[in-house]
Amino acid sequence: MSAPTVLLTGFEPFGGDDVNPSWEAARRLDGRTIAGARVTARCLPCIFGESLGALRREVRALRPAAVICCGVAGSRAAITPERVAVNLDDARIPDNAGRQPLDQPVIPRGPAAYFSTLPVKAITAALAAAGFPAEVSHTAGSFVCNHVFYGLMHALARSRRQPQARGGFIHVPFARGANGLLGHDRLAEALAIAVRETLRRRSDRRLRGGLTD
Ligand code: PCA
């Protein structure tokens, strides 16, 4: 049997930026074998609808054991595995095709939300143990990242494959200089840890966390 595949995606730059660290990190892992699985990296367009179409095509073609989508969260200083995807497109800025949906569902009549099926607490703990700033996040926002995350979870939940592929989303911060704490090479190491934890664990670790407000 051939090695399982992990599909790892990043996004193209958006909002006037000229790089997106999520793709810079993901592409460094393309073709790498981690915990017995082969990583395939793909770059998604930062466009409502098209991003999800491209992702669905890759999932159908590759039949991955796990899908980890990544994007940049410009206001965050930590790597944040996302716990919840919501059925909402509400764009503060236009996407790369000039689309700016306002209070629309990602999937009409879809459920309000999906949980990540990645071991988000285990990934966060492993990242922290390796010296990365990391936190579980409870919102992926309402722009293209949440759109892709929700659409991914909807597609995986409806897939008839047994066992189902696991999936989720990780936001990364902007790199702080080529040799800084989170340059693109370091970010790639962090994503490799996320892939490894996902493959090692069928379920999440029971670690105290959550938010009080
Ligand atoms: N970040 C945006 C979309 C693409 C990306 O990398 C977001 O957080 O929605």
Side-chain angles (χ1 to χ4, degrees):
M1 235 179 77
S2 58
T5 298
V6 173
L7 173 59
L8 185 66
T9 70
F11 274 102
E12 66 182 3
F14 68 102
D17 294 328
D18 47 10
V19 289
N20 189 320
S22 65
W23 174 238
E24 293 307 315
R27 72 184 180 87
R28 284 166 164 74
L29 299 182
D30 187 42
R32 179 112 54 103
T33 298
I34 299 174
R38 196 176 162 80
V39 175
T40 296
R42 294 285 185 265
C43 185
L44 298 179
C46 187
I47 301 177
F48 286 98
E50 284 173 31
S51 49
L52 201 42
L55 178 66
R56 287 198 195 106
R57 278 195 296 280
E58 294 296 345
V59 170
R60 269 200 303 274
L62 294 166
R63 300 175 65 84
V67 185
I68 304 180
C69 296
C70 304
V72 67
S75 63
R76 296 186 190 171
I79 299 168
T80 47
E82 298 290 347
R83 204 167 199 184
V84 193
V86 295
N87 193 11
L88 176 69
D89 289 337
D90 186 12
R92 185 176 58 77
I93 56 171
D95 70 11
N96 284 357
R99 295 180 196 147
Q100 196 171 3
L102 196 162
D103 293 352
Q104 288 170 23
V106 179
I107 307 280
R109 292 176 298 284
Y114 286 102
F115 285 117
S116 174
T117 50
L118 302 180
V120 291
K121 285 185 169 175
I123 291 171
T124 303
L127 288 173
F132 292 98
E135 278 166 31
V136 172
S137 162
H138 293 77
T139 174
S142 56
F143 193 50
V144 182
C145 287
N146 173 75
H147 177 84
V148 157
F149 181 21
Y150 183 92
L152 168 69
M153 299 317 297
H154 188 72
L156 296 181
R158 287 159 55 99
S159 142
R160 283 189 291 270
R161 276 187 66 197
Q162 291 292 337
Q164 246 168 36
R166 286 179 300 153
F169 198 96
I170 300 177
H171 265 119
V172 300
F174 269 112
R176 298 198 204 104
N179 301 309
L181 179 61
L182 288 177
H184 296 145
D185 291 340
R186 280 287 283 159
L187 267 185
E189 282 175 47
L191 297 187
I193 288 172
V195 172
R196 193 195 67 213
E197 284 300 307
T198 298
L199 294 166
R200 269 182 37 179
R201 298 180 190 280
R202 294 272 8 137
S203 55
D204 206 353
R205 290 179 66 191
R206 284 178 50 79
L207 297 171
R208 194 67 72 193
L211 303 170
T212 49
D213 51 25

